Amino acid sequence: MSLLSLLYLDDHGIELVSNAVRQWCQVRHVSIQSIQGQKALNIAVDKVLAGERSPAAIVEAIDSDMQVDFTGK
């Protein structure tokens, strides 16, 4: 993700991305600064730029796009 992508988000979009990614990272015990956290941020920004406005749908999109096993098994 380019930081330029964030320029296209309004205040609500930035808050939506921030809250969804923070929630996703907290539930999965992943740092937002990790590779997985950054990937989640990219996915969230893409979804909001595409018009998604539901926090739950953004978190679901992150889950479906991530190919990481967080179960520790």
Side-chain angles (χ1 to χ4, degrees):
M1 173 189 74
S2 166
L3 289 177
L4 293 175
S5 298
L6 295 175
L7 293 175
Y8 295 103
L9 297 177
D10 60 12
D11 289 344
H12 177 71
I14 292 169
E15 184 177 342
L16 188 58
V17 165
S18 176
N19 290 340
V21 173
R22 187 178 309 115
Q23 176 187 353
W24 186 87
C25 287
Q26 285 175 345
V27 168
R28 284 144 192 89
H29 307 287
V30 172
S31 169
I32 195 168
Q33 296 159 342
S34 69
I35 292 170
Q36 293 87 7
Q38 293 300 302
K39 185 174 180 183
L41 184 60
N42 292 341
I43 294 165
V45 168
D46 288 346
K47 294 299 178 185
V48 172
L49 287 174
E52 184 59 66
R53 293 292 181 235
S54 165
I58 294 169
V59 170
E60 185 177 316
I62 294 169
D63 273 337
S64 68
D65 286 359
M66 296 296 276
Q67 299 296 317
V68 179
D69 180 9
F70 291 105
T71 63
K73 296 179 182 175

